[in-house]
C-alpha cells in the first residue's frame, strides 16, 4: 500500500473515516497511525476491539497519551451515556487535533486534559514535540533534534478528583517510557481494591532514554499488587509474568490481584 500510494501520501492535514464511522483529522498519513487508519480503517485493532468489548455503558475509561483520539472516541461511544472518558494529551500541537475530533464526532462525555500525567501537580517539564511524520510520539526524552517546550503536569489522582470520578474501569497508557511517573501520581487510584485494568506499552529503549532501568513501570505496578501479562497472553487467559520484563517491546496488561 505504501508503494502504491507513495505519490499521494502527504505531510498535511487530512480527514479519514474509520471502520466504526468516526471521523479523524490527522496531521499526516505517512505516520504509522495515519497510514493504518487510511489503509485498514483502524489503528491497533486488537487493543481497540478488546476495549470496545470490555467497556460497558456507565464505565469510566482513561486514555493517557490520547493522541488524536482514535481510542478515546470509540470508547466514549461504548460507555455513553452515563460513563465518561478522560483523554489526557501532553502535546499542545496534538491536543488541538484531539479537541477537533471530539467536536467533529459530537461526543459530550469526554473530559479533555492538555497536561502531562506525572508524579507532581502543576510542575513544568521540558517536552520534545515530534514532527508530523511521527505525530503523537512527543516525549520527555530528547528526540528528532527538536527544541523542548514547557508543558504543565498534573497527577492522575488530582485530575480525577477535579471531575469527581472515583472509579475507573480501564486505563490505556502510551507515554513513550514515562509510565512510571504516571503511576507515581496515581497512588490513590492504584491502591484501591477495585483499581482499574491497565493497558500499557513496554519499550526498553524508551525507558532507557529517560534514564530509567527497563521494567521500572512494571515493578511499580507489581508493588501496587498487580499481576502483569503480555497482551496476547492475557487474551488467551495464560499465567501472568513471573517478573518484570527488561528487554524488547511488548503491549502489556496489568490487573489487580483479587
Amino acid at each position: 500500500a505504501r508503494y502504491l500510494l507513495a505519490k499521494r501520501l502527504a505531510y498535511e492535514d487530512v480527514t479519514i473515516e474509520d471502520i466504526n464511522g468516526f471521523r479523524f483529522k490527522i496531521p499526516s498519513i505517512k505516520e504509522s497511525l495515519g497510514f493504518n487508519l487510511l489503509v485498514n480503517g483502524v489503528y491497533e485493532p486488537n487493543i481497540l476491539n478488546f476495549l470496545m468489548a470490555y467497556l460497558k455503558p456507565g464505565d469510566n475509561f482513561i486514555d493517557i497519551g490520547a493522541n488524536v483520539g482514535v481510542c478515546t472516541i470509540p470508547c466514549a461511544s461504548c460507555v455513553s451515556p452515563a460513563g465518561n472518558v478522560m483523554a489526557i494529551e501532553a502535546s499542545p500541537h496534538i491536543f488541538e487535533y484531539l479537541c477537533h475530533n471530539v467536536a467533529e464526532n459530537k461526543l459530550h462525555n469526554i473530559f479533555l486534559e492538555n497536561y502531562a500525567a506525572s508524579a507532581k501537580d502543576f510542575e513544568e517539564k521540558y517536552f520534545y514535540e515530534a514532527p508530523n511524520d511521527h505525530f503523537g510520539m512527543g516525549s520527555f526524552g530528547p528526540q528528532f533534534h527538536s527544541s523542548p517546550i514547557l508543558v504543565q503536569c498534573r497527577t492522575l489522582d488530582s485530575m480525577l478528583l477535579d471531575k469527581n470520578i472515583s472509579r475507573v474501569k480501564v486505563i490505556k497508557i502510551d507515554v513513550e517510557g514515562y509510565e512510571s511517573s504516571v503511576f507515581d501520581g496515581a497512588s490513590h487510584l492504584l491502591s484501591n481494591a477495585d483499581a482499574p485494568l491497565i493497558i500499557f506499552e513496554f519499550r526498553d529503549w524508551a525507558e532507557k532514554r529517560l534514564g530509567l532501568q527497563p521494567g521500572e513501570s512494571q515493578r511499580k505496578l507489581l508493588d501496587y499488587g498487580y499481576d502483569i501479562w503480555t497482551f496476547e497472553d492475557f487474551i488467551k487467559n495464560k499465567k501472568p509474568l513471573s517478573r518484570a520484563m527488561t528487554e524488547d517491546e511488548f503491549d502489556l496488561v496489568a490487573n489487580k490481584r483479587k
Side-chain angles (χ1 to χ4, degrees), residues 187-202:
S187 59
H188 179 74
L189 178 67
L190 301 183
S191 297
N192 291 337
D194 59 351
L197 183 84
I198 302 173
I199 300 175
F200 65 111
E201 291 184 342
F202 166 63

Side-chain angles (χ1 to χ4, degrees), residues 56 58 68 102 145 175 181 185 191 211 217 223 244:
K56 306 300 180 187
V68 298
V102 168
H145 305 288
V175 290
S181 289
S191 297
S217 60
D223 288 343

Side-chain angles (χ1 to χ4, degrees), residues 48 51-52 55 61 71-80 85 109:
L48 184 60
L51 286 170
M52 293 182 73
L55 291 167
F61 169 64
C71 185
T72 290
I73 288 169
C75 289
S77 178
C78 287
V79 302
S80 67
V85 172
N109 61 330

Side-chain angles (χ1 to χ4, degrees), residues 221-241:
L221 288 178
L222 291 171
D223 288 343
Y224 278 118
Y226 274 84
D227 286 323
I228 301 173
W229 295 256
T230 65
F231 181 79
E232 289 186 359
D233 282 355
F234 183 80
I235 296 299
K236 294 175 182 177
N237 203 29
K238 293 186 176 181
K239 291 183 178 180
L241 300 172

